Amino acid sequence: MAGKGLILLYTGNGKGKTTAALGLALRAAGHGQKIFMIQFMKGNPNYGEIQASKLIPNFTVVQKGRDAFVKKGNPEPVDLELAKEAIDLAKDILQKGEHDLVILDEINVAIDFGLLKEEDVVDLIKFKKPSTTLVLTGRYASEKLISIADMVSEVEEIKHHYKKGIPAQAGIEF
């Protein structure tokens, strides 16, 4: 059983925010905890974390996005509908309180891109049970969410192989 539930936030322009959340999931699974991860704006079933989650007991991952880029400030109706489905699912999962760790992957980006309103995410947090740890990931975390979080880590890009022309690689970026 988990201890005190926290709100953890991973943000910044560097690579590794989702990876950090997945590391927490792996650690939680090692302690027999139940994990639920919702990926906002991601819809590729071939991502490594989707495949790996099937091998880890009590780890559920749900993607609520298309396998396509979303237009910042001008999302398509399908993107708005998927974000609404994701936030509704998150509310349901948090209300039930059956999971020790709930990860809302790329939720900060969903707010920044106009798929969600910041106040909807703030309201969502109120449904978190005291023993549930909630993780919010993605670039562009708002000051409001940063102030609410118990822990904030900013991942800073110093150097990235992509700038050398090395494309995204399976097992590294996805």
Side-chain angles (χ1 to χ4, degrees):
M1 186 58 160
K4 177 178 175 11
L6 303 169
I7 299 171
L8 310 177
L9 191 148
Y10 293 98
T11 193
N13 290 326
K15 176 186 169 354
K17 298 170 290 291
T18 296
T19 305
L22 289 165
L24 280 174
L26 184 62
R27 180 175 284 160
H31 288 282
Q33 296 181 10
K34 286 184 72 177
I35 306 110
F36 202 101
M37 180 176 193
I38 301 170
Q39 292 191 312
F40 289 75
M41 302 174 66
K42 290 181 178 176
N44 186 331
N46 296 317
Y47 282 171
E49 61 263 30
I50 301 298
Q51 300 307 312
S53 71
K54 297 172 187 173
L55 305 173
I56 300 170
N58 300 314
F59 187 11
T60 302
V61 180
V62 174
Q63 292 184 317
K64 287 293 183 180
R66 297 180 299 137
D67 189 15
F69 288 104
V70 176
K71 296 175 190 167
K72 184 175 180 175
N74 189 24
E76 294 186 30
V78 65
D79 297 316
L80 295 169
E81 181 57 34
L82 287 167
K84 182 182 180 329
E85 288 176 14
I87 198 110
D88 289 346
L89 176 60
K91 181 179 176 183
D92 184 56
I93 294 298
L94 289 171
Q95 278 183 314
K96 287 180 180 172
E98 297 172 354
H99 293 83
D100 303 289
L101 178 64
V102 176
I103 301 167
L104 304 180
D105 187 38
E106 303 294 358
I107 195 163
N108 298 326
V109 179
I111 295 168
D112 188 65
F113 274 49
L115 300 177
L116 300 172
K117 293 180 180 163
E118 176 190 60
E119 52 269 21
D120 292 338
V121 178
V122 171
D123 288 342
L124 173 73
I125 291 169
K126 295 174 186 169
F127 290 98
K128 183 185 88 58
K129 303 294 183 197
S131 63
T132 301
T133 291
L134 178 63
V135 179
L136 312 172
T137 75
R139 298 170 189 241
Y140 321 119
S142 71
E143 288 301 319
K144 178 77 170 175
L145 291 178
I146 288 171
S147 71
I148 291 171
D150 295 301
M151 187 281 311
V152 178
S153 285
E154 183 171 4
V155 181
E156 178 185 0
E157 181 181 310
I158 306 292
K159 184 178 180 179
H160 197 293
H161 52 271
Y162 184 75
K163 291 182 179 173
K164 292 182 183 178
I166 301 170
Q169 299 179 67
I172 304 295
E173 277 80 30
F174 60 91

